[in-house]
Amino acid sequence: MNEELLAQIGVYFIPYQSRLVFRGSMNLFLLLFLILMCMLKIFPAAFMLIIDIFLLKAQRDARKRCEEATLRQLKELSGKAEIRYSSQFNTRDIVAENHMTGIASSIPYEDIVEIVARPDIYLLVSRKGELVFVFRSGLENARKFIDDLFSRNTRIGILKKIRFKLTGKVFHYY
């Protein structure tokens, strides 16, 4: 795992609940903007748009701070902006091990709330904001891995599973 990969997935370093609050707030103010524009209330609509832009900037700033803090921690732990990392999937949990520090953490499947497909990795996100990187090069069969993960008792919602299955196939062809 290196600095380039961290830049790709920087938004996921913001805790899951905070991302939901940002996303919900931005959608709410955008909806209010559209409603007020339909009602020809220009000044209140402009105010809603300004708030939405402010929230977008705040989210970008939070992403940047989280990304910088993670890079700073990596440099403190390993002396450079990269880390050797592995994950092992057991029957009840995922064990993620940092080979530079020797620290291993266990994440139960019940805590997994999101899966993100990137061209070279799958990123599993837990409720507490813990990340598990699954490199596609280390998988024998990516489709079998995803099906096995969805059969576990995760908190990934049915709509997210459907969306992932529809959009996840695109990433298999990179």
Side-chain angles (χ1 to χ4, degrees), residues 48-97:
M48 295 300 142
L49 185 61
I50 289 169
I51 292 173
D52 202 39
I53 291 170
F54 172 76
L55 288 171
L56 181 64
K57 184 178 178 340
Q59 183 183 26
R60 285 185 182 162
D61 291 346
R63 174 187 174 180
K64 188 81 169 158
R65 280 193 310 273
C66 289
E67 206 174 293
E68 288 171 355
T70 303
L71 282 172
R72 197 170 37 252
Q73 285 177 335
L74 282 178
K75 288 177 182 176
E76 287 173 6
L77 290 174
S78 65
K80 49 189 168 182
E82 65 181 31
I83 199 164
R84 290 187 29 82
Y85 173 91
S86 68
S87 51
Q88 179 181 2
F89 294 83
N90 298 330
T91 56
R92 293 182 310 205
D93 59 0
I94 304 168
V95 177
E97 184 178 355

Side-chain angles (χ1 to χ4, degrees), residues 27-47:
N27 289 338
L28 174 69
F29 283 106
L30 185 60
L31 180 64
L32 288 172
F33 166 75
L34 294 173
I35 291 170
L36 290 169
M37 284 302 292
C38 289
M39 295 171 56
L40 298 176
K41 305 284 187 185
I42 303 299
F43 292 116
F47 184 68

Side-chain angles (χ1 to χ4, degrees), residues 143 159-170:
R143 178 55 48 197
L159 292 176
K160 288 181 184 177
K161 288 180 184 180
I162 291 170
R163 187 177 72 200
F164 180 82
K165 286 187 177 190
L166 291 175
T167 61
K169 290 182 180 178
V170 174

